[in-house]
Amino acid sequence: MRSLLCILFFFSTFLQFSLAAPKIRHFKWEVGYLFWSPDCIENVVMGINGQFPGPTIHAKTGDTINVELTNKLHTEGVVIHWHGIRQFGTPWADGTASISQCVTNPEETFVYRFKVDKPGTYFYHGHYGMQRSAGLYGSIIVEVADGEKEPFHYDGEFNLLLSDWWHKNVHEQEVGLSSIPFRWIYEPQSLLINGKGQYNCSLAGHYSNSSSETCDLKGKWQCAPHFLHVLPNKTYRLRITSTTSLASLNLAIGNHKMLVVEADGNYVQPFAVDDIDIYSGESYSVLITTDQNPSMNYWVSIGVRGRLPKTPQGLTLINYLPNSVSKLPASPPPITPTWNDYDHSKSFSNKILALQGSAKPPVQATRRIVLLNTQNKINGYTKWSINNVSLVLPSTPYLGSMKFGLKGAFLNKNPPENFGSNYDIMRPPINPNSTQGNGVYMFALHSTIDVILQNANALSDNVSEIHPWHLHGHDFWVLGYGEGKFNEKTDMKKFNLKNPPLRNTAVIFPYGWTALRFVADNPGVWAFHCHIEPHLHMGMGVIFAEGVEHIGKIPNDAIACGMTAKMLMTGQH
Amino acid sequence: MRSLLCILFFFSTFLQFSLAAPKIRHFKWEVGYLFWSPDCIENVVMGINGQFPGPTIHAKTGDTINVELTNKLHTEGVVIHWHGIRQFGTPWADGTASISQCVTNPEETFVYRFKVDKPGTYFYHGHYGMQRSAGLYGSIIVEVADGEKEPFHYDGEFNLLLSDWWHKNVHEQEVGLSSIPFRWIYEPQSLLINGKGQYNCSLAGHYSNSSSETCDLKGKWQCAPHFLHVLPNKTYRLRITSTTSLASLNLAIGNHKMLVVEADGNYVQPFAVDDIDIYSGESYSVLITTDQNPSMNYWVSIGVRGRLPKTPQGLTLINYLPNSVSKLPASPPPITPTWNDYDHSKSFSNKILALQGSAKPPVQATRRIVLLNTQNKINGYTKWSINNVSLVLPSTPYLGSMKFGLKGAFLNKNPPENFGSNYDIMRPPINPNSTQGNGVYMFALHSTIDVILQNANALSDNVSEIHPWHLHGHDFWVLGYGEGKFNEKTDMKKFNLKNPPLRNTAVIFPYGWTALRFVADNPGVWAFHCHIEPHLHMGMGVIFAEGVEHIGKIPNDAIACGMTAKMLMTGQH
């Protein structure tokens, strides 16, 4: 009897491990600067293990990721944020400097250990200063667990990590943003697909409508495009993520429709489009069927939306095998929709709905906060503010200072939950001066929070910009988008409570509002911010926290700085 | 009786404070990047309180300096070293990253508090990565205490802080030095006097022998030269310091002899010269008498020595008042001696002797170490090594790890005290591969140490470079310079034990040796290194320590990183 039990035990254990056992996936990474030519122009790039972009993490749902990150920069600290991973139970692994952890200094190592609990398309990136813009990013692909199935079929997949690239180094960019007079970073020199672009030439150079030289990319592997080699009459999943510093992008594929099936790691009700808008911080999966003339190749193009574009399209090819990649498509690359055709953008955003059967939001919110987005001045410096407060992160990370109740680590005043009812969002601020702050929006654990993001006119007349807001530690339901100033009485009635999509990033359109709902169910301290890197650098973010008393044992490494270090070192807990 | 005592006490206290009481001098500094045009070309510069170079510290002997340094960089740590200040009793204030302290991270503040116990001409500078090259430096001038007198007379004084300047930012310089293939920083674009130079024009542009345009400096105050306004028939003290990253300099003044009276904060037997060589890390005071034709102005010129110069001379004027500064001297600026005229350099170095009555070195050394300087390869990277060990600093500062006896913080193996007797210093290394290390030369407290710095051929044939070695925490006596390989039997006899000068920096000439002696009387851990910043970056240094058990209470701030933080946070002292 006992040996039978043993055998049964062995068998069940074996089954578990061979079929569906989650794995711990170990990575040893070194962050360092490299000479690299992302767009055929050599520059200094922040890479990982000698490559740019960083290595792709492949995992299955339920796996634990263990990244041992060593800082090989010379004088800069570093952290890495795992964008879209909610970090349930591991808020210290969220990788946000001054929020979830102290930076890891040169020659030091920090271990990020967290679970990927949801299949989907994610990415990681630096979250300190403007190190994302410097090139510190890569992809995370989480497949369904063994034995599980995606709710759609595909024969193969490709990963497209999109970014924008400047020739001016980010230190100089940062100094300009913090200077009087203010110096804007302007538009990127290039758009990159998987870290590859072409600055001074075009893959589509010899179409009659092109003003660029044709690229000669012989030997230039660092900037030669990453081609998508396909077989005819198959279905492919394209995983598309945008880690741009600034640019909102539109992606189109010559002659092929795209069926959108995933957004930010959540399934959506499939819908077909000719092109997709993708904002910084977002990810999508689309399916394409290779049902076009198999003797041809087809363009994949990305172009700038939402800002008057001065950057050439980023290009690569879908290569129908066995055609040569040198066989160019019959016609030039798809034209990006006009930069300010916001109706096109809104139409796309409104098509994104949760897959039938997805979790629905609670019917009522416990609390609603309204966040006015304005461009401001503080002592002559140009800033972005939320309800007239521009975020300046404290030197002691919140996670430790809040858990241990350290006084004076940040402004303990509650930040404003709304703005003056007579504020005219259609005009530049009458009094553009705002204040600096770093207070925290504290939520009761498990409460339901509505956030109304309210856009407004910037400092110049007739300018209102797009801002993609990203929430750490949670997904939120996007309840709706609207024009003008949010009206509590009339607009709430229009909220989509039936099938709103779950996202971690949502855009506000010029002069409009966006309504989000989420459950504050993840003990920790979480950034919520505009994902445009220079905007965050200029203060465009807020801090959320919930269930701080339920935060587990924070690894000492994560809080060995500032006031928490002082506290731990003097033993006065 | 009691009231009389009170009055006496009051009077004596009053006297003390009003006449000779040392002061605590408080400074509040913020380190940050600035847009600045040191040589009329705009660049990003590391400055203090919005200025470049940083503010000059003026103090009197016996004063305490208290600098509250806040890091306003975006992602970089920072420290400041007080070059030439020995830090008796305050080794944690020496400002050397990984040696005396943890770096101060952005938005954090570190307080440097130390005594200036010796009159003289000093400077301060960043000592982390290559932040000195980025512009983080300034002057320290320590006058004699009230009631004391200098051993020479002067009517006024000027401060000349010399540096070299590159247009390529230091991050890119650092990456190049740590790359395969190796990328050298090459020669500086400009030489700066008090942070001011002219890149694309010359003050001496309209002399017939000039190939440069004449400068139009209207409105360009950041790069307009700092003129020395003098009255006729007076004696002036010029305090001259070199914080160059690379360049060895020669300074000359048209028509005026210089009387050298101070070197590195120590009085020397006065001697007159037409020009002085000054190496990175050195300081001099010279006296000039304004006894020339008072209707004229006169050049001050600096030029590159020891490397084939590709950098134009740095220039300013001695302006005899009431002449206009626009009145140019009758003849072009003094010509810098030929770059490789080492006899000229040696002749100058050999003239430097201690002022009569100065402290003499102990007659015998307790221990002698010989340090061979070689250029090497490690895994394809180009390095500098000392006795075949290239210095890589540990992440936990020595001061804490040694005081608390933490194992594994650095290589505990004693570093080599000599090199193979058959090493041919006249040829490139036969086996150029060396090793990395960070062991410590441990000295008995109060022992007398002789260091023989031995130069050799670099990696290329017929190349041997100048290296100015700087010792922290001590002055040393320079016992002599010699040619070729140091010979224990014959060369020791030639040591100057009668009036060797006390210095904190001494040069080794190509293919030569330099002998130093010092008393290990300062409990702490001290860097000894080539003061050429890229050479130190490439490993050209060693670590000395003595009396570690006598180190006082290290402020927690200085050791709140790495293994010392871990130890203090777990309470396991």
Side-chain angles (χ1 to χ4, degrees), chain A residues 136-206:
Chain A
L136 185 55
Y137 45 75
S139 296
I140 305 173
I141 293 174
V142 183
E143 293 172 37
V144 292
D146 283 336
E148 302 284 323
K149 276 193 172 169
E150 300 274 13
F152 41 82
H153 163 82
Y154 52 99
D155 303 300
E157 71 171 56
F158 295 98
N159 183 48
L160 300 177
L161 176 63
L162 313 181
S163 57
D164 44 8
W165 187 246
W166 278 254
H167 292 163
K168 187 179 278 186
N169 78 70
V170 296
H171 293 97
E172 198 172 337
Q173 290 182 31
E174 286 171 343
V175 182
L177 296 172
S178 319
S179 287
I180 299 177
F182 177 70
R183 301 194 191 187
W184 178 236
I185 63 167
Y186 296 106
E187 303 305 311
Q189 273 69 62
S190 309
L191 301 179
L192 310 181
I193 302 175
N194 292 337
K196 291 153 184 290
Q198 300 81 39
Y199 171 68
N200 47 8
C201 65
S202 171
L203 298 183
H206 52 249

Side-chain angles (χ1 to χ4, degrees), chain A residues 33-35 42-44 73-78 103 105-108 128-131 169 171-172 174-179 183 392-396 537 556-557 559-566 568-571 573, chain B residues 33-35 42-44 73-78 103 105-108 128-131 169 171-172 174-179 183 392-396 537 556-557 559-566 568-571 573:
Chain A
Y33 281 114
L34 314 167
F35 288 108
E42 194 188 67
N43 219 312
V44 172
L73 304 170
H74 295 109
T75 52
E76 290 178 70
V78 79
V103 297
N105 277 323
E107 295 304 321
E108 293 191 339
Y128 185 40
M130 288 177 53
Q131 291 182 342
N169 78 70
H171 293 97
E172 198 172 337
E174 286 171 343
V175 182
L177 296 172
S178 319
S179 287
R183 301 194 191 187
V392 176
L393 292 170
S395 59
T396 303
H537 195 74
N556 276 354
D557 281 16
I559 46 175
C561 65
M563 290 174 67
T564 33
K566 207 163 276 180
L568 291 167
M569 287 168 74
T570 53
H573 296 221
Chain B
Y33 281 114
L34 314 167
F35 288 109
E42 194 188 67
N43 220 312
V44 171
L73 304 169
H74 295 109
T75 52
E76 290 177 69
V78 80
V103 297
N105 276 324
E107 296 303 322
E108 292 190 339
Y128 185 39
M130 287 175 54
Q131 292 183 341
N169 77 72
H171 294 97
E172 198 171 336
E174 285 172 344
V175 181
L177 295 173
S178 319
S179 288
R183 300 194 192 186
V392 176
L393 291 170
S395 60
T396 303
H537 195 73
N556 276 353
D557 282 15
I559 48 175
C561 66
M563 291 173 68
T564 33
K566 206 162 277 178
L568 290 169
M569 287 168 72
T570 54
H573 295 219

Side-chain angles (χ1 to χ4, degrees), chain A residues 3-24:
Chain A
S3 62
L4 182 66
L5 271 176
C6 270
I7 289 165
L8 273 172
F9 175 77
F10 176 77
F11 196 61
S12 68
T13 311
F14 175 79
L15 259 182
Q16 214 181 324
F17 276 94
S18 65
L19 278 182
K23 279 188 183 153
I24 301 175

